Amino acid sequence: MRLKNVVLCVLALGLFSGVNAQVNILNARTPDEIGKKTESQIEKDNDGPLPYGYTDERDILWSKTTWEIIDLDERINFPLYYPIDTNNIGPERRSLYDVLVKNIRNGNITEIYADSYFREKRTLDDLSASIVYSDTTDMGIEQYNAEGVVDPQFIRRFTLDAGDIQQYKIRGYWYLDKRQGELKYRLLGICPVANEARSKAFEDDGMDSKVDLFWVWFPAAREVLHKAMAFNRLNTSQPISYDHLLNSRRFNSVIYQEDNEHGDREIKDYVVDNALMQLLESDRIKERIRNIESDLWNY
């Protein structure tokens, strides 16, 4: 009983100190000061993304590249999806999609690519074609035929937002570090997936046209994602950064592709029209990766 009380006291002190240190809510004299660190806190702050460290190629005993889908309909993945309505919430909380797009627009994220192999680099103008759709109404067409111009009121503009994102695709690298004798994972890229912006203009068509909007080279975006916080439902005084959330794999995902001798073909290409067997194949790949580290210590 005495040990239990000691543990509870330690937890309570940790939570209390986290409240004071995290958002300054108890020391704020006006609402504008909430979330702002004091000068002494800034001076003592050495906060940054945890460095990966250097890994020599000779230390990699085995490796496997996988592509996974993070379904945002799953409850465990909600921290990546919400909030989608930011009108009644503070600027410190944004969905992962909003964080990515905002920092792409302001130039903090520049390593943007068209595919998961990071071969074709994309610009902000290229992304506009994927996330924005403009359409002229019938009255606008009539005005153009008659006058040669179209008033802005006759142009419909549809933009993808956080609520339209359905999935995230990630590409990662599993490898066995023989120097440390453990299986490690390195996230290489992340991609939001949504229906084309055009589908918002023609919702009655019921089209399902999910596309990969853009791929972000994850190591180059870590600094930005470390400053953006995801909601922690277990302890609101200790939000978790998106960098930490993704690196620690605090999400559920399904493998849909692995590197293989068939040109890295996807599971659906050789397990056709059978969702259950595709899921079992994904689990088989996961189990094979997990067994690599276990087999290292079995003789």
Side-chain angles (χ1 to χ4, degrees), residues 67 117 171 257-266 269:
W67 288 258
Y117 291 96
R171 178 187 174 186
Q257 184 181 354
E258 65 170 335
D259 54 353
N260 52 57
E261 66 272 22
H262 301 286
D264 298 349
R265 66 178 179 179
E266 298 185 19
D269 293 333

Side-chain angles (χ1 to χ4, degrees), residues 15 22 70-83 93 229-242 245 249-252:
L15 293 176
Q22 185 236 321
I70 302 174
D71 191 346
L72 297 182
D73 281 337
E74 298 185 38
R75 183 177 296 275
I76 192 175
N77 297 330
F78 281 177
L80 297 172
Y81 180 67
Y82 290 102
R93 286 183 56 190
M229 296 297 173
F231 185 76
N232 184 353
R233 68 169 63 94
L234 299 178
N235 185 359
T236 56
S237 72
Q238 297 292 333
I240 181 174
S241 71
Y242 283 115
L245 187 151
R249 294 186 61 87
R250 292 176 59 168
F251 55 80
N252 186 53

Side-chain angles (χ1 to χ4, degrees), residues 125-173:
D125 293 336
D126 297 330
L127 297 183
S128 298
S130 301
I131 64 180
V132 178
Y133 176 76
S134 297
D135 185 25
T136 304
T137 63
D138 294 339
M139 295 186 65
I141 295 175
E142 293 178 4
Q143 183 187 31
Y144 181 79
N145 293 333
E147 305 174 10
V149 295
V150 179
D151 291 339
Q153 61 178 327
F154 298 134
I155 298 178
R156 301 188 303 168
R157 186 180 177 87
F158 301 89
T159 304
L160 294 180
D161 52 36
D164 299 314
I165 306 303
Q166 302 178 25
Q167 302 171 345
Y168 281 99
K169 289 183 178 180
I170 59 173
R171 178 187 174 186
Y173 188 76

Side-chain angles (χ1 to χ4, degrees), residues 7-187:
V7 172
L8 290 176
C9 290
V10 171
L11 289 175
L13 288 173
L15 293 176
F16 181 76
S17 61
V19 170
N20 283 277
Q22 185 236 321
V23 292
N24 198 37
I25 192 170
L26 299 182
N27 299 318
R29 290 173 294 180
T30 63
D32 294 339
E33 295 182 359
I34 297 177
K36 296 181 180 179
K37 295 182 179 181
T38 63
E39 293 183 2
S40 60
Q41 286 175 327
I42 295 175
E43 184 179 352
K44 296 177 181 178
D45 191 6
N46 190 24
D47 191 24
L50 186 65
Y52 283 145
Y54 178 75
T55 302
D56 196 297
E57 295 293 333
R58 294 172 296 181
D59 293 335
I60 300 178
L61 185 63
W62 171 91
S63 67
K64 166 69 69 174
T65 301
T66 59
W67 288 258
E68 300 168 76
I69 290 178
I70 302 174
D71 191 346
L72 297 182
D73 281 337
E74 298 185 38
R75 183 177 296 275
I76 192 175
N77 297 330
F78 281 177
L80 297 172
Y81 180 67
Y82 290 102
I84 58 176
D85 183 4
T86 58
N87 293 326
N88 300 316
I89 200 167
E92 71 280 356
R93 286 183 56 190
R94 289 293 181 266
S95 70
L96 177 58
Y97 177 75
D98 284 336
V99 171
L100 292 175
V101 172
K102 175 185 176 181
N103 286 278
I104 288 173
R105 286 173 175 163
N106 62 26
N108 290 333
I109 296 179
T110 58
E111 298 300 316
I112 317 161
Y113 295 86
D115 57 44
S116 62
Y117 291 96
F118 310 106
R119 294 171 297 195
E120 180 184 349
K121 202 164 185 179
R122 306 192 70 178
T123 64
L124 185 60
D125 293 336
D126 297 330
L127 297 183
S128 298
S130 301
I131 64 180
V132 178
Y133 176 76
S134 297
D135 185 25
T136 304
T137 63
D138 294 339
M139 295 186 65
I141 295 175
E142 293 178 4
Q143 183 187 31
Y144 181 79
N145 293 333
E147 305 174 10
V149 295
V150 179
D151 291 339
Q153 61 178 327
F154 298 134
I155 298 178
R156 301 188 303 168
R157 186 180 177 87
F158 301 89
T159 304
L160 294 180
D161 52 36
D164 299 314
I165 306 303
Q166 302 178 25
Q167 302 171 345
Y168 281 99
K169 289 183 178 180
I170 59 173
R171 178 187 174 186
Y173 188 76
W174 292 94
Y175 65 98
L176 192 61
D177 190 332
K178 68 179 182 181
R179 182 181 296 272
Q180 300 186 24
E182 63 178 321
L183 182 67
K184 295 184 178 181
Y185 177 79
R186 182 72 57 86
L187 182 58

Side-chain angles (χ1 to χ4, degrees), residues 133-135 156 158 196-205:
Y133 176 76
S134 297
D135 185 25
R156 301 188 303 168
F158 301 89
E196 296 176 333
R198 182 178 180 276
S199 64
K200 300 184 71 173
F202 305 98
E203 295 180 356
D204 295 337
D205 293 348

